[in-house]
Amino acid sequence: MAADGNALTPGEYIRHHLVHLTNKKQESIVDFSVINIDSVVVSSLLGVLVCFVLWLAARKATAGVPGRFQAAVEMLVEMVDSQAKAVIHNANSRKLVAPLALTVFVWIFMMNFMDMIPVDLIPMIWHSAGPAMGFKDYMRVVPTADLSTTLGLSVSVLLMCLFYNIKIKGLGGWAHELVSAPFGTSKNPFWAVLLGIVNFLMQMIEFVAKTVSHGMRLFGNMFAGELVFMLIALLGAYGALSLGGGLFFVGHVIAGTVWTLFHILVITLQAFIFMMLALIYLGQAHDAH
């Protein structure tokens, strides 16, 4: 691409597409006052859509021969319920955890699925509509390619784990576990205090590591997928702007088709992995060391 006029170079094109629509300019690496408006709006709308679809399926469920929609939802519910039963053995906990796991799986899948929309479609619409409404010309539509979204989800799982640790084991029982696992304790007061400090630090490291890796795994895969779609879009742009662009256009079509088919597996697998890790972490919160 040429850099003259209004045309963007490949680097400028990618940088522009990787900027979020925010409420203010970020002033530091960690700035909790910055809100990625595009991620919040898209994820909220998809969350409402997911809840509505699941509510609709429950409302229209019949005891007779199910239709295709009901059958698909029932298969999904049975899959999540079987995974929850295998990990969480407390039936009362499953009444809350299993529906939440189902919602999380479908919600993350829908957020991931936004990556299947042509990379320039919604930003092109926003290019005209956004500035006209007083917003900046930035728009990203894959919430799970935003680290704020994925870490927010993983922190929510962490809070639920803390809740069930206290609910199942009691505050005193969990506090004792924090200072007695994984290395145990000792009858000797000196070694008991030393082991307690080490055990507590190891427990804190475990909680932090699980939470960060839980969110980073989903973010890394979706961010990489979004970036590949941008590179494929650049092939199409070269095909349109260069004299010998026929090969670039063919490469754009082939690469786009292959990556889209592969990415369908990726977005589904990532939603399933996030759900399963959430169930495993919650299951661990129910188990005593």
Side-chain angles (χ1 to χ4, degrees), residues 156-231:
S156 299
V157 174
L158 171 64
L159 294 177
M160 288 194 63
C161 289
L162 299 181
F163 168 77
Y164 277 110
N165 268 303
I166 297 174
K167 180 181 179 181
I168 300 298
K169 305 166 187 175
L171 184 59
W174 183 49
H176 179 266
E177 183 179 285
L178 288 177
V179 296
S180 62
F183 298 120
T185 185
S186 173
K187 294 181 179 179
N188 184 296
F190 172 78
W191 289 111
V193 172
L194 182 61
L195 284 172
I197 294 173
V198 173
N199 286 329
F200 181 79
L201 291 176
M202 291 297 294
Q203 291 273 0
M204 294 302 104
I205 292 172
E206 180 183 354
F207 279 123
V208 172
K210 288 193 299 187
T211 302
V212 173
S213 63
H214 198 191
M216 287 291 291
R217 181 182 292 103
L218 177 59
F219 161 74
N221 282 277
M222 297 313 302
F223 182 84
E226 186 182 33
L227 192 59
V228 170
F229 275 121
M230 293 178 191
L231 296 174

Side-chain angles (χ1 to χ4, degrees), residues 46-67:
L46 291 175
V48 172
L49 177 62
V50 166
C51 291
F52 174 75
V53 171
L54 294 177
W55 171 82
L56 192 64
R59 182 172 177 270
K60 292 188 175 182
T62 60
V65 179

Side-chain angles (χ1 to χ4, degrees), residues 85-289:
K85 287 180 178 178
V87 177
I88 300 175
H89 305 295
N90 188 308
N92 288 329
S93 296
R94 285 201 305 270
K95 292 179 181 179
L96 174 63
V97 173
L100 282 177
L102 173 64
T103 304
V104 165
F105 174 75
V106 181
W107 189 25
I108 292 179
F109 174 82
M110 291 302 298
M111 288 192 286
N112 292 349
F113 189 81
M114 296 299 291
D115 211 9
M116 310 300 289
I117 298 175
V119 68
D120 286 312
L121 179 59
I122 296 180
M124 182 177 64
I125 297 173
W126 184 253
H127 177 71
S128 301
M133 294 186 294
F135 294 99
K136 293 184 178 180
D137 186 21
Y138 297 114
M139 176 59 65
R140 293 183 67 182
V141 296
V142 186
T144 44
D146 179 4
L147 188 57
S148 300
T149 302
T150 58
L151 284 182
L153 290 168
S154 63
V155 168
S156 299
V157 174
L158 171 64
L159 294 177
M160 288 194 63
C161 289
L162 299 181
F163 168 77
Y164 277 110
N165 268 303
I166 297 174
K167 180 181 179 181
I168 300 298
K169 305 166 187 175
L171 184 59
W174 183 49
H176 179 266
E177 183 179 285
L178 288 177
V179 296
S180 62
F183 298 120
T185 185
S186 173
K187 294 181 179 179
N188 184 296
F190 172 78
W191 289 111
V193 172
L194 182 61
L195 284 172
I197 294 173
V198 173
N199 286 329
F200 181 79
L201 291 176
M202 291 297 294
Q203 291 273 0
M204 294 302 104
I205 292 172
E206 180 183 354
F207 279 123
V208 172
K210 288 193 299 187
T211 302
V212 173
S213 63
H214 198 191
M216 287 291 291
R217 181 182 292 103
L218 177 59
F219 161 74
N221 282 277
M222 297 313 302
F223 182 84
E226 186 182 33
L227 192 59
V228 170
F229 275 121
M230 293 178 191
L231 296 174
I232 293 173
L234 286 173
L235 280 177
Y238 273 115
L241 296 178
S242 59
L243 294 177
L247 292 178
F248 284 115
F249 182 76
V250 172
H252 164 76
V253 173
I254 295 175
T257 302
V258 172
W259 183 248
T260 299
L261 294 174
F262 174 73
H263 208 55
I264 293 174
L265 175 63
V266 172
I267 64 177
T268 307
L269 186 60
Q270 289 304 312
F272 180 78
I273 289 174
F274 192 96
M275 179 202 72
M276 281 304 305
L277 287 175
L279 288 174
I280 290 171
Y281 296 157
L282 289 170
Q284 290 175 345
H286 285 72
D287 299 331
H289 287 279

